[in-house]
Amino acid sequence: MPKMKTSRAAAKRFKVTGTGKLKRNKAYKRHILTKKTTKNKRNLRKAAIVDATNVKNMKKILPYL
């Protein structure tokens, strides 16, 4: 059986927390920021946890994370 390959794109975007959950950054923070409120932009700074419905697929493309 050959080694499984990690999706490099996903590996750069996700980190594993101490409890084994996947941490991700939020979207909509790159451009067109003038129309977004300060509160909205501040909340986009915080990292989020990957939803439980996506975890199975994420573990498949990140086998060694």
Side-chain angles (χ1 to χ4, degrees), residues 9-10 12-14 19-21 25 29-31 33 36-38 46 50-51 53-55 62-63 65:
K12 292 167 189 175
R13 287 168 171 81
F14 299 95
T19 54
K21 294 177 182 172
N25 286 323
K29 189 69 168 70
R30 295 294 174 203
H31 59 104
L33 298 172
K36 293 171 186 153
T37 63
T38 311
K46 300 170 186 166
V50 173
D51 194 65
T53 56
N54 299 320
V55 169
L62 297 165
L65 207 63

Side-chain angles (χ1 to χ4, degrees), residues 3-38:
K3 287 193 279 188
M4 295 167 69
K5 283 197 172 182
T6 297
S7 166
R8 297 313 297 162
K12 292 167 189 175
R13 287 168 171 81
F14 299 95
K15 297 271 184 280
V16 177
T17 63
T19 54
K21 294 177 182 172
L22 289 169
K23 192 168 70 167
R24 66 172 176 86
N25 286 323
K26 292 182 183 172
Y28 307 108
K29 189 69 168 70
R30 295 294 174 203
H31 59 104
I32 316 172
L33 298 172
T34 50
K35 63 176 76 171
K36 293 171 186 153
T37 63
T38 311

